[in-house]
Amino acid sequence: MSELHQAEDIKQLTERVREQNYFFSLLKQEINKAIIGQEYMVDRLLIGLLGNGHVLLEGVPGLAKTLAIKTLADAVQGEFSRIQFTPDLLPADVIGTQIYNIKENDFSIKRGPIFANFVLADEINRAPSKVQSALLEAMQEKQVTIGDETMPLPKPFLVLATQNPIDQEGTYILPEAQSDRFMLKCRIDYPSLEDERLIMKMVASSHQPVIRPVISLNTIVEAKNLINQIYLDEKIEKYILDMVFATRYPEKYGLADLKNFISFGASPRASINLAIASRAMAFLKNRAFVIPEDVKDVAKDILRHRIGLSFEAEAEEVTADEVVDRILARIQAP
C-alpha cells in the first residue's frame, strides 16, 4: 500500500473514530456524574470494554469500584450482576447448575449470575481456586458449559473483579492461568482532597445523580469492530514485542540485573492485549493510529500481573511496577 493510500485510509478511519468516540464521550460524562476523581479507573473500564477484555481492580475498600461498574451498566442499559466471593461459594453459584424437575422427570438448567453483560466478581481472592476456575471458560471463551449443554454469554461481556491488597487473612492467591485472563490489572488509589470534598457534598445532597442510558449495546459492538482497524505501525509492533520479550530475556536488552528478580516473563497474551489496549487508548483520544505514548500509558496495567517475581525480588521489595518502569526506561520508543 502506498503512503498516499495509507494516509487516505487513516483520514477516513479518523472520521469514523470521531463519530463513534462522541458516544463514548457522552458515556464518560454520564459515569462521572456518580464517579468522582477516578478518571484512571473509568478509562481502564472502557479500554476493557472496547478491547473485549476483563479488568482486575486492586484497591482498598471505599474507592467506588463496585459503583463504577454498576454505573457503567446503567449508562449502556446492560444487564448487571454482582457475585460476592466467599470461602463457601460453589462453582454452581457462579455459572448455574442442573435442577431435577419431578413433573417432567428431566433436568433443567438454572443459569447463574455469570449470564449478564457486566459481572462484578467482588473480592475474587476470597474464594478457593475451584470457584475461581469456574470463571475461566466464561472469561476466555465467552461461553458456559453446564452438564452437556454449552451456552453463549451475552454481548458485550465484561468481568470486573476486585481484590483488597491489605486484608490478606482468608484469601487465596489468584492462579497464573486465572490472572492471565484479565486484560488489565489496575491499582486504584485514593482521590485527591478536592475530589473527596466533592464526594462528601454529593453524598450529603438530597439530589443523587440519576444515570440515564446514553449508548446502546450495538454501538459498543460496532466500536469494538472499529478498534481492530486502528493503525498500528510495524515500529510500534516491534516496540510492544521488545517490551514483552524484555520480561522474558532481560539480559538481551541490557537489563541483566533484572534477571534474578523475574522468575517468569509475560505470556503471549501480554503482546496481544498490549496491542489491543493501545488501540483502545488511541480511540479514546480520538485518534485512528497508535503512538508510543498509548503503549506506555497501558504497559503497567497489562504487564504487572503477568510478571512472576522471584524470592529475591520479594526479599529486596522489588515490585512488578518497578520492573516495568526499568523496561520502559531501557526500551527505546520509535
Side-chain angles (χ1 to χ4, degrees):
M1 182 184 293
S2 68
E3 291 185 3
L4 179 61
H5 286 163
Q6 190 179 76
E8 289 176 353
D9 288 345
I10 291 177
K11 184 178 179 181
Q12 292 175 3
L13 189 59
T14 299
E15 293 176 0
R16 292 176 59 196
V17 166
R18 287 175 178 169
E19 289 174 4
Q20 292 286 342
N21 198 39
Y22 169 75
F23 297 105
F24 281 83
S25 298
L26 293 178
L27 179 58
K28 284 183 69 173
Q29 291 175 17
E30 199 67 21
I31 293 172
N32 288 335
K33 286 182 182 179
I35 307 297
I36 298 173
Q38 295 290 4
E39 186 174 347
Y40 162 79
M41 176 171 63
V42 173
D43 280 345
R44 269 52 186 178
L45 279 177
L46 295 182
I47 288 173
L49 183 61
L50 288 165
N52 210 28
H54 309 288
V55 184
L56 177 61
L57 295 182
E58 185 175 274
V60 298
L63 297 182
K65 300 187 292 293
T66 303
L67 180 61
I69 191 167
K70 178 66 169 69
T71 304
L72 174 61
D74 290 342
V76 301
Q77 234 174 359
E79 188 177 350
F80 169 78
S81 67
R82 174 180 178 174
I83 308 170
Q84 186 67 48
F85 278 59
T86 55
D88 60 347
L89 199 70
L90 297 173
D93 298 326
V94 176
I95 64 172
T97 188
Q98 290 181 316
I99 298 176
Y100 183 68
N101 190 320
I102 299 177
K103 290 183 179 180
E104 298 180 3
N105 194 29
D106 196 6
F107 286 94
S108 61
I109 291 177
K110 180 183 179 183
R111 297 188 175 193
I114 197 70
F115 287 89
N117 297 113
F118 302 94
V119 178
L120 174 63
D122 211 2
E123 294 191 303
I124 190 172
N125 55 335
R126 291 216 172 275
S129 55
K130 182 186 292 187
V131 178
Q132 293 172 8
S133 64
L135 282 173
L136 280 176
E137 182 188 14
M139 292 173 65
Q140 185 64 30
E141 307 296 336
K142 307 295 191 297
Q143 64 183 26
V144 166
T145 301
I146 302 175
D148 57 357
E149 186 172 346
T150 299
M151 296 161 286
L153 291 166
K155 295 180 180 180
F157 175 68
L158 173 69
V159 173
L160 172 68
T162 69
Q163 61 182 16
N164 185 345
I166 58 173
D167 184 8
Q168 296 302 322
E169 184 177 350
T171 62
Y172 300 82
I173 297 174
L174 283 183
E176 285 80 7
Q178 175 78 24
S179 60
D180 198 35
R181 258 68 174 191
F182 286 99
M183 181 183 192
L184 307 159
K185 179 181 178 181
C186 309
R187 291 217 165 103
I188 312 303
D189 205 353
Y190 295 107
S192 66
L193 188 145
E194 188 55 38
D195 286 335
E196 196 150 342
R197 190 197 310 275
L198 293 174
I199 294 169
M200 286 172 57
K201 288 182 177 180
M202 184 179 73
V203 172
S205 171
S206 58
H207 301 288
Q208 295 300 313
V210 177
I211 305 301
R212 58 187 180 88
V214 293
I215 187 172
S216 69
L217 295 177
N218 287 336
T219 303
I220 293 172
V221 173
E222 289 173 8
K224 283 183 177 184
N225 295 332
L226 188 60
I227 293 297
N228 295 327
Q229 300 175 41
I230 288 180
Y231 180 66
L232 189 69
D233 192 82
E234 288 183 2
K235 293 179 181 178
I236 301 290
E237 288 179 351
K238 185 178 183 304
Y239 183 50
I240 289 172
L241 290 170
D242 283 341
M243 198 178 296
V244 173
F245 270 69
T247 69
R248 304 174 192 169
Y249 314 107
E251 68 280 2
K252 293 183 180 180
Y253 293 87
L255 295 164
D257 54 329
L258 287 183
K259 187 173 178 62
N260 293 332
F261 295 146
I262 301 174
S263 60
F264 59 86
S267 72
R269 283 197 186 96
S271 306
I272 296 167
N273 287 326
L274 200 44
I276 295 172
S278 299
R279 283 185 162 113
M281 179 62 79
F283 173 87
L284 292 175
K285 292 182 178 179
N286 234 359
R287 274 188 278 101
F289 55 90
V290 176
I291 61 175
E293 282 65 30
D294 297 327
V295 182
K296 292 177 182 177
D297 282 347
V298 296
K300 286 185 182 177
D301 303 311
I302 299 293
L303 295 174
R304 63 165 54 104
H305 57 301
R306 293 185 164 95
I307 297 175
L309 297 178
S310 64
F311 291 114
E312 187 173 339
E314 294 179 11
E316 297 191 24
E317 297 183 343
V318 175
T319 66
D321 282 8
E322 290 170 353
V323 171
V324 177
D325 281 333
R326 290 282 307 279
I327 291 172
L328 287 172
R330 181 65 182 177
I331 304 297
Q332 188 174 0

